[in-house]
Amino acid sequence: MIQEFALDPDLFVSEYQNNSLFFREAFGPESIRFLSCFPKRWRKDVLTAIRSSPINEDELAKRAILAFADSLLEKAISRKHGPLAAGAWLAKAEQENQTVPFHAILANTNPNRNASVVEWSAVPGHPKWNAPRAYHPSRSAAALASIVEPLLMRAREVIFVDPYFDIAVDEYRLVFEQYLSCIRHSVVTDKPRITIITGLKKVLERGIREPSEQNKTDFEADCRRLLPGMLSPGSECTVAILKAFNGGQQLHNRFILTKNVAIKFGIGLGCAPDRPQACDDLDVTVYPSGQSPWELYNLQRQPPAFETLKQFTVTTP
């Protein structure tokens, strides 16, 4: 799953010139490793590190490292955090790690022998540096949620896509309680944007291409009854029932989507509460710009990729 790395600004500045290619390949959707914008003033800390380094005397080098820092920050995880103790960056990162752990903290040294700190000299072959892209969890609600939790806790917008989604069915209700709990514990925002897309295919019979009006009405009532208890106070969730246009993209694949990362499920987003031995295959995928499922399933897309049969928003007080 995605991995959030806290990066010591002093380390970044001291090593960038000799290791620029490494840093360019280290972070971003393609690697599934993301820089943590920690603390919120991480860029200012980079500037402070530059002023006390030889780079400060080289205007071109200074511009280059700041431009690259800005490109990293465009796709960085901007986590919210409380007041930090005075002192060195590493001490602050270790303090924050006790509240919500990073995947790892990258620093020049590890004086406290903290298991979460990876020293620069050990980075290339360190187990924490290599992110798996494929998973084979059991289809229990807890196992599925544990795989996607790092992504859901760090996303400002999430789209769930499953043509069979039905919140009144145990296989979806039980696991969505877990998925939405991950989002409630977001480290980046108090009000993430959540969209759930379904085709209500569980209610379709052979030869029937779309749900009846009663099916859609019952489904909306179930969502309004069950979803608010799973959402954060003051948040909302958009739910849409879609179907394919004639000759268009089929509503078939199952995804959890953010703007940068797509998790594709082999069987579906639901769990299998009555089949304890059941497993699924989850793949973390990065798509070229313009070809991401995020763009396909975004309800704001024009022209739309699917016909909307019903769309509504569930809110919480």
Side-chain angles (χ1 to χ4, degrees):
M1 196 43 57
I2 71 162
Q3 300 177 339
E4 180 189 13
F5 286 84
L7 174 61
D8 186 341
D10 287 331
L11 164 62
F12 173 63
V13 170
S14 64
E15 297 294 340
Y16 175 75
Q17 281 191 302
N18 292 330
N19 298 280
S20 59
L21 179 61
F22 170 84
F23 281 109
R24 291 181 185 281
E25 296 178 348
F27 300 108
E30 294 79 8
S31 68
I32 316 297
R33 293 184 292 262
F34 288 84
L35 173 70
S36 179
C37 182
F38 174 83
K40 296 174 185 176
R41 50 167 289 162
W42 187 82
R43 190 182 191 277
K44 289 184 178 179
D45 287 350
V46 169
L47 276 169
T48 300
I50 288 174
R51 294 190 186 104
S52 59
S53 78
I55 293 177
N56 198 48
E57 306 301 320
D58 186 334
E59 191 62 30
L60 288 178
K62 184 163 64 174
R63 288 181 183 178
I65 193 170
L66 284 175
F68 180 67
D70 288 338
S71 71
L72 282 180
L73 290 172
E74 287 178 3
K75 294 181 178 179
I77 295 170
S78 299
R79 64 161 60 195
K80 55 186 181 181
H81 59 77
L84 299 170
W89 178 89
L90 180 57
K92 296 175 184 176
E94 289 178 315
Q95 173 193 342
E96 175 67 11
N97 190 65
Q98 292 178 342
T99 305
V100 180
F102 300 102
H103 182 73
I105 300 168
L106 304 184
N108 276 313
T109 61
N110 186 12
N112 297 323
R113 297 185 179 181
N114 189 322
S116 295
V117 175
V118 177
E119 294 185 56
W120 171 249
S121 59
V123 166
H126 199 283
K128 283 184 172 289
W129 189 248
N130 298 306
R133 291 175 177 263
Y135 299 83
H136 186 65
S138 75
R139 291 190 65 208
S140 71
L144 291 172
S146 70
I147 296 294
V148 301
E149 180 182 34
L151 178 67
L152 296 180
M153 287 182 63
R154 291 162 175 82
R156 295 182 180 276
E157 299 182 54
V158 182
I159 301 176
F160 296 94
V161 182
D162 190 320
Y164 290 86
F165 171 82
D166 188 339
I167 195 63
V169 178
D170 280 353
E171 68 182 90
Y172 288 103
R173 178 182 58 78
L174 294 172
V175 75
F176 268 78
E177 287 175 347
Q178 302 262 358
Y179 292 153
L180 297 178
S181 175
C182 296
I183 296 176
R184 285 202 309 273
H185 293 88
S186 171
V187 300
V188 297
T189 179
D190 293 324
K191 294 184 178 180
R193 295 179 60 184
I194 304 168
T195 302
I196 300 174
I197 290 174
T198 182
L200 274 191
K201 290 190 175 182
K202 274 194 173 295
V203 305
L204 300 186
E205 298 176 0
R206 188 177 301 277
I208 300 176
R209 295 193 64 243
E210 65 181 72
S212 69
E213 289 303 316
Q214 189 60 52
N215 291 149
K216 290 182 277 186
T217 299
D218 292 345
F219 172 73
E220 180 177 357
D222 288 335
C223 287
R224 294 193 181 280
R225 176 171 55 90
L226 295 171
L227 283 175
M230 305 179 190
L231 300 170
S232 303
S235 63
E236 61 182 40
C237 174
T238 299
V239 183
I241 305 171
L242 306 182
K243 79 166 188 175
F245 288 115
N246 287 335
Q249 171 72 35
Q250 293 297 305
L251 187 64
H252 173 74
N253 293 325
R254 288 81 159 164
F255 291 108
I256 293 179
L257 303 171
T258 69
K259 286 187 175 180
N260 291 320
V261 177
I263 304 174
K264 188 173 183 179
F265 288 66
I267 297 175
L269 272 57
C271 61
D274 57 342
R275 300 191 300 279
Q277 303 304 315
C279 296
D280 199 357
D281 293 305
L282 277 60
D283 293 299
V284 183
T285 309
V286 176
Y287 292 82
S289 178
Q291 300 178 32
S292 167
W294 173 270
E295 292 151 359
L296 184 68
Y297 293 100
N298 190 329
L299 297 178
Q300 307 304 314
R301 171 191 168 117
Q302 292 297 330
F306 300 94
E307 181 181 349
T308 300
L309 301 181
K310 191 177 189 69
Q311 180 175 326
F312 55 92
T313 300
V314 175
T315 59
T316 60

